[in-house]
Amino acid sequence: MWTFPVPSANRPVRAYHGAVTGTTATAPPRNAFREQQWREAHERYLDCARQVFGSLGYHAATVADIVAAANGSRATFYAHFRDKADIAAALFERVLPAGAAMYGRITEFPELNREHVRRWLDEHVLPFWATYGVEIDLVNHAMAADPGVAARHYQWGMEAVRQLRPYLARWTGEHEQAGLTRALLLVLQLERLCYHWLVRGVEHERGMVLDILADLWVRELAVLREGPRG
């Protein structure tokens, strides 16, 4: 069983297990009708928060703006979310299944070569960042404002690494941490480039970037698959 290091923070970090679990607020036991109401309110606040953040930006938007957009109350908001950073993080958590599926495709290559990796980057990775640009931008702002969100982001990175498990099969015992770190650096490097390029709008020539990334990922995945040397 794979285990991953979790950094210390002011609050516990929730692991992602294939379904978004919500936020730091834990819903008390309730009957099915009340549970449905709770989930519907939760999703309504998330949907309205995405609209507010997309319109005003992370820093200008307030909890009051989100509450007003949801036709709710502060009391209800705080029953679901701790603060603005928490709901921004929760919005990003909603896209984690799509992110997991994206990285999971790496293990479906009929063979590891540059052509397959480049196609994966072009058809799955870049569209992911373009589709979820609002959520990705929000979580980057929230990380800067809240160390707890930053710790959660680290855990999300490790969940992406989890999708590369077949490539880490040889990294066991004393080499396990080295393998995890290599894979995490590969994921984080891709994330930062896509964030500045596709979310923040730094100009790059698409074909050139795809070529460079394909070369990098083929090389590093091959290293991971071969296992530690010596």
Side-chain angles (χ1 to χ4, degrees), residues 39-184:
R39 292 184 180 278
E40 288 176 353
H42 190 84
E43 290 301 312
R44 184 173 70 254
Y45 274 101
L46 287 174
D47 291 339
C48 291
R50 191 184 192 279
Q51 295 175 8
V52 170
F53 284 133
S55 175
L56 301 179
Y58 178 80
H59 293 291
T62 66
V63 169
D65 293 324
I66 297 169
V67 169
N71 292 318
S73 68
R74 282 182 173 270
T76 303
F77 176 92
Y78 287 116
H80 291 261
F81 309 101
R82 189 187 64 191
D83 52 23
K84 184 171 72 170
D86 193 34
I87 195 170
L91 278 167
F92 184 77
E93 286 176 334
R94 288 207 302 186
V95 313
L96 291 181
M102 176 184 72
Y103 284 108
R105 289 181 179 274
I106 294 174
T107 64
E108 300 171 0
F109 295 156
E111 62 178 307
L112 179 60
N113 61 38
R114 188 175 185 274
E115 178 183 355
H116 289 134
V117 173
R118 194 182 191 281
R119 185 179 304 153
W120 168 70
L121 291 163
D122 192 27
E123 297 179 359
H124 300 286
V125 175
L126 302 193
F128 174 85
W129 261 268
T131 299
Y132 299 111
V134 171
E135 289 85 351
I136 293 166
D137 194 36
L138 287 175
V139 80
N140 276 271
H141 287 299
M143 281 193 294
D146 187 330
V149 175
R152 287 158 74 179
H153 182 266
Y154 180 93
Q155 181 69 11
W156 298 328
M158 296 310 297
E159 290 297 334
V161 169
R162 189 189 297 274
Q163 305 307 313
L164 305 180
R165 185 182 303 173
Y167 288 91
L168 295 167
R170 297 177 182 271
W171 297 85
T172 59
E174 63 179 317
H175 302 292
E176 180 180 17
Q177 188 59 50
L180 292 172
T181 302
R182 291 188 75 106
L184 180 61

Side-chain angles (χ1 to χ4, degrees), residues 117 121 126 190 193 208-218:
V117 173
L121 291 163
L126 302 193
L190 176 62
L193 173 61
M208 178 194 70
V209 173
L210 285 171
D211 288 340
I212 293 172
L213 287 174
D215 289 340
L216 175 66
W217 273 76
V218 167

